[in-house]
Amino acid sequence: MEERIKTLAETFSMKYHSRNKQISKRDKRSSVSLIRYADDFVIIHEDVNAVQKCREVISEFLLDMGLELKPSKTRLVHTLQDFDGEKPGFDFLGFNIRQYKAGKHSSGRNGHKEILGYKTIIKPSQDSTKKHYYKLKKVIEKSKGISQSVLINILNPIIRGYCNYFRTVSSSQNFCKLEALVFWKLWRWAICRHPNKGRKWIKEKYWKSIANRNWVFSIQGKDKPLKLFGHSEMKIVNYVKVKGNSSPYDGNLIYWSIRLGQNPEMPTRVAKLLKKQQGKCSHCGLVFKDGDVMEIDHIVPKTKGGKDTYDNFQLLHRHCHDKKTSSDRW
């Protein structure tokens, strides 16, 4: 089905550009884009007429199979501004994708300001955030009779799962908001358990100070404290776009080793060091290029007690390695 939809979309795109041949790389950016996961898909194009035509073609294709697009889940929207009564942006797989005005402004003759660019920001959708919060809320409200340690063990996998899924997008504000909401639910849970105790007593019993964080919902375990994982503790990992038309199969070992930290054609140790050093030589600070001879060096020489560990490894150009080795002798 995916190949069929792609073919239909590409066929229309070629007709739209008045061509009867394969689209060149230069024109691919202006052609119809299809993003699909299971039975959910999004069609993107700069011209609303192109998107409407694709919807008609897909509707006809599905009708032949006895299927149809669900009206409640099918929307035609603009990513930057209101369109046809719909708010800007769209939700897909739990994410909200929307464009915002960005860049410098220039004033015209009449003082009119022009927007020089736009920025696409992806966030957790409101629907996915509400579902996650209601799930946590339901667990807490039904757990008034269980111990704190059991409650923490139930909540932690739910929170970690949500945070891991959305850690690659702009989720910092979302995580902080959810953490605050969960705190107040837990506070009411604790008050319900001890209606005759004061707030200070409740705070000291269920919340502790751990490292540089205060008000951590935790309990002392056998070896170490058992604590609730906070949403804001999850480190956001920003996704970096692939450069140009790069592909894992284009033979650019250095680029993909830096990006992924692994490559089947690159020694594991070298690939990990490339990622750790962000593709730069530790001695001269220059970026490694294709064809450069790279060598692994011990930061503290083995003759001086250095060990064979990643903390003591660094990747250098061959000539930088020679300079470093000669300086180590003295």
Side-chain angles (χ1 to χ4, degrees), residues 123-124 129 162 169-180 231-232 236:
K123 303 177 181 179
T129 302
Y162 177 86
V169 297
S170 301
S171 305
S172 297
Q173 293 183 357
N174 179 271
F175 288 172
C176 290
K177 181 180 178 180
L178 281 168
E179 187 169 335
H231 290 78
S232 61
I236 303 298

Side-chain angles (χ1 to χ4, degrees), residues 178-239:
L178 281 168
E179 187 169 335
L181 291 172
V182 171
F183 166 78
W184 288 114
K185 289 305 298 182
L186 290 171
W187 182 256
R188 294 188 64 182
W189 171 87
I191 290 177
C192 245
R193 286 170 64 90
H194 307 282
N196 298 323
K197 296 293 184 179
R199 295 175 181 268
K200 183 178 180 181
W201 185 92
I202 292 174
K203 188 264 180 185
E204 291 176 351
K205 178 174 177 60
Y206 292 106
W207 280 270
K208 306 289 187 297
S209 295
I210 299 177
N212 59 343
R213 298 186 68 229
N214 298 321
W215 289 84
V216 179
F217 190 71
S218 62
I219 185 173
Q220 183 62 43
K222 293 181 180 179
D223 301 323
K224 59 181 180 180
L226 176 64
K227 68 183 186 69
L228 182 72
F229 181 79
H231 290 78
S232 61
E233 291 184 66
M234 179 59 69
K235 184 179 179 182
I236 303 298
V237 180
N238 294 323
Y239 177 78

Side-chain angles (χ1 to χ4, degrees), residues 71-86:
S72 61
K73 290 187 176 181
T74 305
R75 299 172 58 218
L76 186 61
V77 298
H78 196 287
T79 56
L80 183 66
Q81 57 194 11
D82 294 349
F83 177 80
D84 197 22
E86 296 282 354

